[in-house]
Amino acid sequence: MNLTFNKCDIHQSTDDCTAVFVYQDRSTFSRQVKAIQLKLRTTIPAVDTGDFKGKDGQSTVLYVKRSASLRRYILIGLGEQQRLSAERIRRAAAIAARKARSLHASSLSLMVPVPSQRFGEAVAALAEGAYLSLYRFDKYLTKEKDSPSGVETLTICEPRGANARQGKRIVDRTKILCEATVLARDLGNAPGNEIYPETLADAARASSRRGAYDASVLDEHEIKNLGMGGVLGVSQGSAHPPRFIILEYGNPGRRPVVLVGKGVTFDSGGISIKPSAGMAEMKMDMSGAAAVIGTFEAVSRLKLPVHIIGLIPAVENMPSGSSIRPGDILRHYNGKTSEVDNTDAEGRLILADALAYAEQYKPTAVIDLATLTGAVVVALGHHATGMMGNDRELMRQLRQAGEATYERLWELPLFDEYEKLVKSDIADVKNVGGRWAGAITGAMFLKKFVGSYKWAHLDIAGTAILEEPGSYTTRGASGVGVRLLTEFLRRWK
Ligand code: BES
Ligand code: MN
Ligand code: ZN
């Protein structure tokens, strides 16, 4: 996808479609409409009938004869100017982009909404909403020869070109972020027969070459020598051996932020097997890993002045004669033991090793992302990631990055009283906590393996895997975490 910034007014646009944004407020609306009519020398019937009033999310297509050709203009409502937000702009841009696609346009320009107080934010939101809304996971669809290939060129336009340099810089940056988000989506949507631990490691290596960051991969033998009993245990029932992926970017002289991603490339549940309905979704159980790889690609290509380490335990959770059993006891990287009560609570078993491994880096913060529990989806649905942790300031800053990117976080408590739910009589901790507070008991298990660092756990089970398309997401993998973490790292001191 081409995404650029350009100086251009609506009557000069030569693209297949041009999106123009208007506010609902009476005087602004009529002034904007008047300007459009004047420049394009046309009436706007949908405005004259009152069908189009500029309400948030409203749209209408306008066909205009210009010299020899007919041009399409998509008018999009932004609602009241007072209530404008980056998210509203993303969604409005997404409506325009999907409309353009449905009209078989191959190029679309989007006019920066005026007036908009924060130019940079508006440009980024336009680019993001349009780009991400056009995502499709179609590499396995064998195409018909004459089917249109979709919108290929997006141009963010500003008539006066006053902020051209800033606009270009922001659009270039946004393109990198969107490409990294798409990478995370593609990894999530890829089926389990394509992405398994070895190929997830290959994908991380390929990304590290694109971003010029470091990737090293530990094999089963090395994982065993390190004593990562969780990674080893969960993977032992699979024909695919585990991998432990270590990423590094930035100045090694600075204490790093460590990003940990759950990399279960397929979660059948193991011996505690899942019901078959919906099991296919569990190809996306490596979405935490995908978010970490995507973030590394974005941060490295953006050359952010940070030092980050990525840790990805990658396994496939399968039932077989060699699988771990309920009742088994595993010994983790830091020597602590866990009782496996349910082999479907496998994510925490592999994250335990990674969180313990993180301590050696003396990190300023450790953030793990995991599709850890169905319980967090029951609690928050698909609109917020569950956040738990041990440091208020870290969680506050993550929450703020969540507001800015609209990858929103909501905190759940880790009160001491929850600890006894994961108590085991025969090991240091038990991997399930019973019926209640499932998202929290998942985190209480992880907490046992957290070192002396500041830590936040993001349970993305609901936000990484979507059952329905959103304004700029599709059914399936959302790529959540990439924009969030990149924004967080941009701000973190
Ligand atoms: N990967 C699943 C969690 C999940 C469920 C992610 C639905 C996305 C959508 C995880 O490994 C799991 O199976 N968790 C169990 C834990 C339970 C056995 C304590 C769960 O949530 O049921
Ligand atoms: Mn599971
Ligand atoms: Zn899982």
Side-chain angles (χ1 to χ4, degrees), residues 223 228-236 242-244 313-315 349-350 353:
I223 290 167
M228 295 183 164
V231 180
L232 221 51
V234 174
S235 71
Q236 76 189 33
R243 293 289 184 263
F244 192 88
V315 300
L349 297 173
I350 65 170
D353 289 326

Side-chain angles (χ1 to χ4, degrees), residues 3 31 44 47 103 115 143 175 255-256 279 283 291 293 318 321 383 399 406 422 430 439 482:
L3 174 63
R31 188 163 39 75
I44 308 176
V47 169
L103 295 169
K143 286 233 172 65
K175 181 160 184 266
R255 288 172 62 198
M279 199 200 276
K283 68 178 185 178
I293 295 169
M318 293 295 250
H383 300 293
R399 198 160 39 237
Y406 217 68
V422 291
K430 188 173 64 172
V482 175

Side-chain angles (χ1 to χ4, degrees), residues 281-303:
E281 277 183 15
M282 288 300 118
K283 68 178 185 178
M284 289 176 271
D285 209 19
M286 31 55 70
S287 295
V292 170
I293 295 169
T295 301
F296 267 75
E297 187 151 330
V299 167
S300 59
R301 292 182 60 200
L302 292 168
K303 301 193 165 62

